[in-house]
């Protein structure tokens, strides 16, 4: 690659998605169009396409491999293989750590109180009112339940553990339906935009029994920015990050998860967001 008047010439970068039979990723085109403005030729490719020569790219940006949950080992093996031949964003070690929410236990930031049930462990948690029970490896609230019935919560945790998965048991925070979850997007370590996300464990007109994962732009509060930046301090090497925050009963902000693998980035919601990501990518190259 060469740099001519601040613009790359002949740089090619893969935008990594999955087979996506339903066309769920509706931001790949806007992302790649913004890369072109930086002189970066983007090519949309499936992570599991055996015909792709990853070494031919100057960099590979993991974006929407939304089928990795049931194929995590295969996906991580692909990430490590790819990183051996080109630059991978985010790095394979980050993807490996971030695709299992057990990382939440090791982060020195406030998160939702969680009772963990690993395979072979007894199911043991206190009375919490309403419960959320979810697998530690998940996305899009897959295999996640919300219930006021303690027996049902125990049974779901036991079922996940019996299937070799680690279950997470949390109190249901109803603020996700009022204030809403706040997602802060950072590109190249710099704040880009924030989104109020809709609650997912509710009935919705579009997806009965399950809300949708979209939302609207929001201005984050200073305490949310402070927490998001503490979280990001733990992952200095990432190109893109989405820090998903809730509030606990006492009003203090807490991390629900940090998405460093396959976050939807809400690029079409805020003017300039795709350009900010493209600039961060150009700088990283
Ligand atoms: N403890 C909780 N209280 C309220 N809602 C929750 C809770 N945990 C998860 N949810 C809902 O389920 C969604 C998905 O859960 P999350 O932990 O973000 O896992 P993932 O997005 O990886 O499936 C959240 O965005 C939120 O709407
Ligand atoms: Mg989430």
């Amino acid at each position: 690659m060469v740099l001519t008047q601040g613009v790359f010439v002949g740089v090619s970068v893969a935008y990594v998605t999955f087979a996506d039979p339903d066309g769920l990723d509706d931001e790949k085109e806007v992302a790649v169009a913004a890369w072109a403005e930086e002189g970066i030729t983007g090519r949309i490719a499936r992570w599991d396409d055996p015909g792709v020569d990853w070494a031919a790219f100057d960099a590979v940006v993991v974006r929407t491999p939304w089928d990795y949950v049931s194929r995590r080992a295969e996906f991580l093996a692909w990430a490590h293989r790819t990183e051996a031949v080109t630059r991978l964003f985010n790095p394979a070690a980050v993807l490996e750590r971030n695709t299992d929410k057990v990382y939440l236990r090791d982060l020195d930031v406030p998160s939702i109180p969680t009772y963990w049930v690993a395979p072979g462990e007894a199911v043991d948690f206190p009375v919490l009112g309403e419960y959320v029970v979810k697998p530690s490896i998940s996305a899009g609230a897959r295999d996640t339940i919300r219930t006021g019935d303690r027996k049902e919560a125990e049974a779901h945790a036991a079922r996940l553990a019996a299937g070799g998965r680690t279950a997470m048991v949390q109190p249901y925070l109803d603020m996700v339906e009022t204030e809403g979850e706040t997602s802060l997007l950072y590109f190249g370590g710099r704040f880009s935009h924030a989104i109020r996300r809709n609650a997912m464990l509710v009935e919705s007109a579009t997806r009965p029994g399950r809300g949708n994962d979209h939302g609207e732009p929001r201005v984050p509060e200073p305490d949310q920015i402070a927490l998001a930046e503490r979280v990001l301090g733990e992952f200095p090497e990432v190109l893109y990050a989405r820090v998903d925050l809730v509030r606990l009963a006492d009003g203090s902000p807490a991390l629900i998860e940090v998405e460093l693998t396959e976050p939807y980035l809400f690029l079409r919601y805020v003017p300039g967001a795709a350009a900010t990501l493209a600039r961060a990518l150009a700088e990283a190259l």
Side-chain angles (χ1 to χ4, degrees):
M1 82 175 88
V2 277
L3 195 60
T4 311
Q5 294 178 334
V7 172
F8 292 114
V9 178
V11 177
S12 83
V13 174
Y15 177 110
V16 178
T17 184
F18 73 124
D20 201 4
D22 302 316
L24 297 175
D25 180 358
D26 61 6
E27 56 186 4
K28 50 188 176 300
E29 291 84 7
V30 73
V32 167
W35 294 359
E37 296 290 312
E38 295 288 339
I40 297 167
T41 303
R43 179 169 148 214
I44 297 163
R46 279 168 46 188
W47 70 270
D48 61 347
D49 182 345
V52 177
D53 175 14
W54 302 101
F57 296 102
D58 294 287
V60 169
V61 179
V62 175
R63 282 299 319 116
T64 50
W66 288 340
D67 57 355
Y68 84 80
V69 171
S70 56
R71 305 168 64 186
R72 180 168 175 259
E74 196 189 340
F75 172 67
L76 293 176
W78 166 83
H80 285 287
R81 270 198 321 273
T82 303
E83 194 172 62
V85 297
T86 186
R87 295 192 63 187
L88 183 70
F89 298 105
N90 287 328
V94 170
L95 304 180
E96 183 148 7
R97 182 172 180 213
N98 184 243
T99 45
D100 187 336
K101 291 188 181 72
V102 295
Y103 71 79
L104 287 167
R105 292 193 292 209
D106 311 324
L107 285 182
D108 187 21
V109 299
S111 57
I112 304 180
T114 304
Y115 300 87
W116 302 86
V117 184
E121 281 178 14
V123 178
D124 182 24
F125 53 84
V127 173
L128 298 174
E130 228 187 336
Y131 305 85
V132 171
V133 183
K134 55 191 169 186
S136 69
I137 300 172
S138 186
R142 193 178 307 185
D143 298 328
T144 296
I145 67 159
R146 164 190 177 184
T147 178
D149 180 343
R150 192 182 160 78
K151 287 268 168 288
E152 193 184 343
E154 282 173 355
H156 190 60
R159 199 158 43 235
L160 290 172
R165 307 170 80 180
T166 294
M168 303 168 67
V169 182
Q170 299 177 335
Y172 181 76
L173 301 171
D174 51 16
M175 61 68 61
V176 298
E177 295 172 48
T178 50
E179 176 184 333
E181 186 176 332
T182 299
S183 292
L184 293 92
L185 284 299
Y186 287 82
F187 301 144
R190 285 196 300 274
F191 176 74
S192 169
H193 57 291
I195 297 289
R196 177 205 182 282
R197 301 247 313 290
N198 297 334
M200 292 188 76
L201 306 178
V202 292
E203 302 273 335
S204 89
T206 49
R207 292 165 74 198
R210 208 23 87 73
N212 71 68
D213 187 29
H214 287 233
E216 67 221 28
R218 122 172 311 169
V219 178
E221 300 292 335
D223 61 353
Q224 295 174 317
I225 293 173
L227 176 53
E229 290 181 358
R230 264 176 76 188
V231 173
L232 276 188
E234 307 260 351
F235 304 96
E237 66 283 30
V238 300
L239 172 67
Y240 56 87
R242 196 183 81 201
V243 185
D244 294 345
L245 301 181
V246 290
R247 285 189 191 279
L248 303 181
D250 67 359
S252 61
L255 183 66
I256 175 165
E257 65 169 327
V258 51
E259 288 264 18
L260 303 170
T261 304
E262 80 309 358
Y264 185 72
L265 297 177
F266 298 90
L267 297 178
R268 302 190 315 144
Y269 286 62
V270 176
T276 305
L277 175 60
R279 183 100 290 263
L281 174 60
E283 282 169 12
L285 296 172

